[in-house]
Amino acid sequence: MRTEQPQTIRLTDYRQPDYLIDETHLTFELFEDHALVHSRLLMRVNGGQGALPPLVLHGQELTLQSLAFDEQPLAVGDYQVDAHSLTVQPLTKSFELVITTRIEPQNNTALEGLYKSGGMFCTQCEAEGFRKITYYLDRPDVMSRFTTTVMADRGAYPVLLSNGNLIASGEHEGGRHWATWEDPFPKPAYLFALVAGDLYRIDDSFTTMSGREVELRIYVEPENREQCAHAMDSLKRAMRWDEQMYGREYDLDIFMVVAVNDFNMGAMENKGLNIFNSSCVLAHPNTATDMAFQRVESVVAHEYFHNWSGNRVTCRDWFQLSLKEGFTVFRDSEFSADMNSRTVKRIEDVSFLRANQFAEDAGPMAHPVRPESYMEISNFYTLTIYEKGAEVVRMLHTLLGAEGFRKGSDLYFERHDGQAVTCDDFICAMEDTNGVDLTQFKRWYSQAGTPQLEIEGHYDAATSSFHLHCRQSCPPTPGQTQKLPFVIPLRMALLDANGQELPLYLAGQTQSLGTETVLAVTEAEQVFVFEQVSAAPLPSLLRGFSAPVKLAYPYSRDDRVFLAQHVDQRLLKVYRGVLADSSLDPAMVAEILRLPSEAYLIELAQQADVEAIHKVREWVRRELASALADSFRAVFQRLEEAGGSYSASAEAMARRSLRNTVLGYLMLTDSSDTLLACVRQFVEADNMTDRQAALIALVQSPHEQEKQAALEEFAQRWSAYPLVMDQWFSIQASNPLPGGLERVQALMTHPAFNIRNPNKVRALIGAFANHNLVNFHRTDGAGYRFLADRIIELNQLNPQIASRMLTPLTHWRRFDTQRQALMKTELARIMACEALSDDVYEVVSKSLN
Ligand code: BES
Ligand code: ZN
């Protein structure tokens, strides 16, 4: 067990920096066994009269080689260095500091700071990775103008990149060369980036709304050059969309995207030089599924949108992370909704939030959208910061209306351009433009937990009025036992017996609100009275999921009896109707046919019975499959005829989505025709979406021979494509048939698996623990033991990934006492390890509390 605890950082301890850095001049000398980083900082004290405070620079895992103050080299006694910092005493209010550090990128397996991915040097600095490159004020409220020179061997690293514009380059003796980049926009160190490698470049350009020409470049390893078109198109669409929807134009003359294979996250918004996990850039119909295409589109857009919501206006401190991430997720989800089907996108986002963020909110790591404390900031890139944060911004949009929201965002960008600000500043801009008081609304930022909204409706025939009784509450979360009422926007309508929306008259208001309105539920208990309602209506509540809450609308006893007796037949009738109606959006139909995920059903339960949930869900799927087999076959046929050859259009994607959903159902029936069709689809598909859907159906089927043949053929054919092999791992790791753990253990030794590559870890270990619940939750605890062993291994190599892999174990409270005990045993075993990283320590210790 580690002896000392990591420090807890608190929002209430925030203080302005003592010093500022006006200019940062960096020179990197890159070699195979080390790198030298020369840094020249032009600094000054931040305000303040009187004695100059000591200057404390952040730094980790650095070897300090030299240090000079205003050209005077410092001797060893003139400064102090410890594992996290370098302290010196300035003698003048402004000064120049020159530092040389030595680092070893080739040994950096944590993938934070400067590291090597394959034959390429690259960086990842958010949140606190810059301090692993050089000593610096590594905090987002210190913004500086950067100039960066990169020097490396020309043969191995012909491409040398950093933020901003290329201003000079040249040759050195011995086959080395250099390039100097200058970024005119002041930025925090977390937005710094550097890349050196042998990369192929795809060029394009974009003319901004004011007529400026921007060069667009995507850099990839040469073998991937055919897989960039979709990312480039997505980028141009995102640039146009941000101009049209937010009036925001790109600011530099060049925008670069680099794809790397080893990356902890999806992508990073470094100024002018976004660095991407190759899984979020590369997409070709032969190798990527429709889902992967959509992911690329949204990640490219997300990182691009950060140029305004994150870079031009950044965060004052990391407690404000949702200021940029929540807002930017809202922006990218609206973009995706505009590019694809809005309804389907919303259903996907809401399903994801309810299955995963709700679980986080109910677990030991629950925290507010603006957390109050953390040990390791990397642990706070959470679903709460991202997805709930985006829902909070969406609620503002709902309450203020599209126009009010846009005016607010205009003021926010103008008022704070070039600044590092807080969530309060964002809200304040919304308040000032709209003349509203959002004090109570801000509880969404400070209170954790998922609010529960219970609603009952009562019709009073005597007065022709309908009473909507709303009661809200929020369960306790770590450190927060009592909660105050939230502002809950409740989008609603009243339906008559024919499903027609009724005009809404709120008591006391003579004018109709139209047929749909947004009520603001602001009190613990509140009643809304609708008048002029001529018969008992059916309320349609929380439309579009207008707030991230759990809605309970108690059915009457009669309703329940009716539902219990008739739900099957009624559901089948609905499904038959939906399947027969060829005028409906196929993607929407596919969504309707999708049953709630096991993860969501577990989240709903107080105490989840994993096996029962799996069995019942599978049983329902089989029942649907056999009862609807004829409809399914007809749809499968109809969509095949309409299909023709591959197209990447939204319509074609929607058709594939429905057809493959239907194939999944049909494969649950015992039909040799379907098996043949499935094998044929696997062999003949002209795109990865169809091929993969067939492979999944085969893998989850009992047809051993066909399954093994398909898996082998697939692995042979795609062995040179790491992203396709990730899919191959993930499909097998998610297979719920018995023996899942053994299959995963065997795959760990497959030559394509590599525990140092985060994509591989997610594809095999992550998929098993998160998407193969019956196997992971085996009653003998072997699934838990396996995961804990991998976490202990990863703790040494890559603490961020190790910590992320912990999530399934942190949810132990949801399960029976036997499983709880087994899960806690594994958490305790991890806790007992020597040299536990801060990342893993924080999550494990909080989970065991
Ligand atoms: N700024 C983040 C990337 C990041 C996260 C860097 C955590 C360091 C630590 C980036 O903008 C981001 O949010 N990326 C997401 C994808 C996005 C579409 C939500 C990611 O990487 O998962
Ligand atoms: Zn982001």
Side-chain angles (χ1 to χ4, degrees), residues 544-849:
F545 196 65
S546 58
V549 300
K550 291 187 180 173
L551 175 69
Y553 185 85
Y555 288 103
S556 71
R557 226 186 136 66
D558 288 350
D559 282 345
R560 281 177 195 280
V561 171
F562 181 84
L563 286 171
Q565 286 169 346
H566 298 276
V567 70
D568 290 356
Q569 286 312 311
R570 294 203 316 184
L571 191 65
L572 291 178
K573 200 170 149 215
V574 169
Y575 276 176
R576 265 192 209 103
V578 161
L579 283 164
D581 187 346
S582 58
S583 72
L584 294 175
D585 170 9
M588 187 64 209
V589 176
E591 225 28 87
I592 293 170
L593 292 173
R594 200 153 293 145
L595 298 184
S597 67
E598 289 181 13
Y600 179 60
L601 296 171
I602 287 174
E603 211 293 305
L604 283 184
Q606 266 308 328
Q607 185 135 108
D609 182 337
V610 194
E611 260 126 32
I613 284 173
H614 177 70
K615 281 204 185 110
V616 170
R617 189 175 178 280
E618 285 305 297
W619 177 81
V620 173
R621 277 171 53 76
R622 268 169 218 286
E623 289 291 299
L624 289 175
S626 67
L628 299 170
D630 291 341
S631 303
F632 282 145
R633 270 189 217 105
V635 169
F636 195 69
Q637 206 62 43
R638 184 175 87 215
L639 292 172
E640 177 156 55
E641 281 150 15
S645 68
Y646 175 85
S647 149
S649 68
E651 298 75 52
M653 283 193 193
R655 274 199 304 274
R656 281 191 289 274
S657 167
L658 178 55
R659 191 160 182 276
N660 288 324
T661 303
V662 163
L663 175 65
Y665 276 108
L666 284 173
M667 280 291 282
L668 298 173
T669 64
D670 227 354
S671 141
S672 51
D673 284 357
T674 305
L675 177 59
L676 275 179
C678 189
V679 171
R680 188 167 355 101
Q681 175 166 325
F682 174 76
V683 174
E684 292 174 7
D686 62 355
N687 66 85
M688 187 51 84
T689 306
D690 288 340
R691 191 185 308 281
Q692 208 188 87
L695 181 61
I696 292 171
L698 287 171
V699 164
Q700 303 195 357
S701 81
H703 309 290
E704 278 310 317
Q705 228 178 332
E706 287 81 357
K707 170 188 320 197
Q708 288 315 327
L711 280 171
E712 268 160 46
E713 202 271 340
F714 193 96
Q716 288 246 314
R717 177 152 173 195
W718 303 106
S719 64
Y721 294 80
L723 296 174
V724 183
M725 289 307 286
D726 289 346
Q727 295 303 316
W728 184 79
F729 282 117
S730 165
I731 288 168
Q732 295 176 82
S734 313
N735 176 10
L737 295 178
L741 177 59
E742 289 73 14
R743 288 193 298 273
V744 168
Q745 278 168 324
L747 287 169
M748 295 273 305
T749 63
H750 190 278
F753 183 77
N754 173 6
I755 199 158
R756 288 167 192 249
N757 176 259
N759 288 355
K760 290 286 176 287
V761 172
R762 282 185 280 259
L764 188 57
I765 304 163
F768 174 69
N770 291 296
H771 303 303
N772 195 346
L773 301 178
V774 266
N775 279 299
F776 174 63
H777 290 281
R778 270 166 65 145
T779 45
D780 66 356
Y784 309 146
R785 208 169 318 126
F786 167 76
L787 182 63
D789 285 338
R790 302 291 77 75
I791 289 167
I792 290 168
E793 193 178 347
L794 283 162
N795 173 63
Q796 307 274 342
L797 294 170
N798 188 331
Q800 285 183 19
I801 298 296
S803 171
R804 284 188 178 263
M805 288 294 130
L806 270 167
T807 308
L809 286 174
T810 65
H811 295 151
W812 56 267
R813 262 174 244 269
R814 273 274 177 273
F815 303 95
D816 55 86
T817 47
Q818 195 193 335
R819 286 192 172 90
Q820 287 195 2
L822 291 164
M823 293 171 94
K824 282 195 281 186
T825 303
E826 296 308 323
L827 287 168
R829 189 158 68 85
I830 298 170
M831 189 70 174
C833 287
E834 304 272 328
L836 215 53
S837 59
D838 290 1
D839 308 61
V840 173
Y841 177 88
E842 175 170 33
V843 177
V844 177
S845 60
K846 289 182 176 174
S847 304
L848 283 171
N849 255 332

Side-chain angles (χ1 to χ4, degrees), residues 10-29:
R10 285 172 216 288
L11 171 56
T12 49
D13 290 342
Y14 174 82
R15 288 196 310 123
Q16 291 233 326
D18 289 333
Y19 290 90
L20 300 175
I21 309 176
D22 292 316
E23 291 180 33
T24 301
H25 299 270
L26 301 171
T27 301
F28 289 79
E29 294 186 70

Side-chain angles (χ1 to χ4, degrees), residues 126 267 269 302-303 306 324-325 328-329 386:
E126 189 179 0
E269 70 265 25
H302 177 99
E303 305 311 336
H306 269 314
K324 75 176 177 82
E325 294 302 347
T328 305
V329 170
Y386 276 72

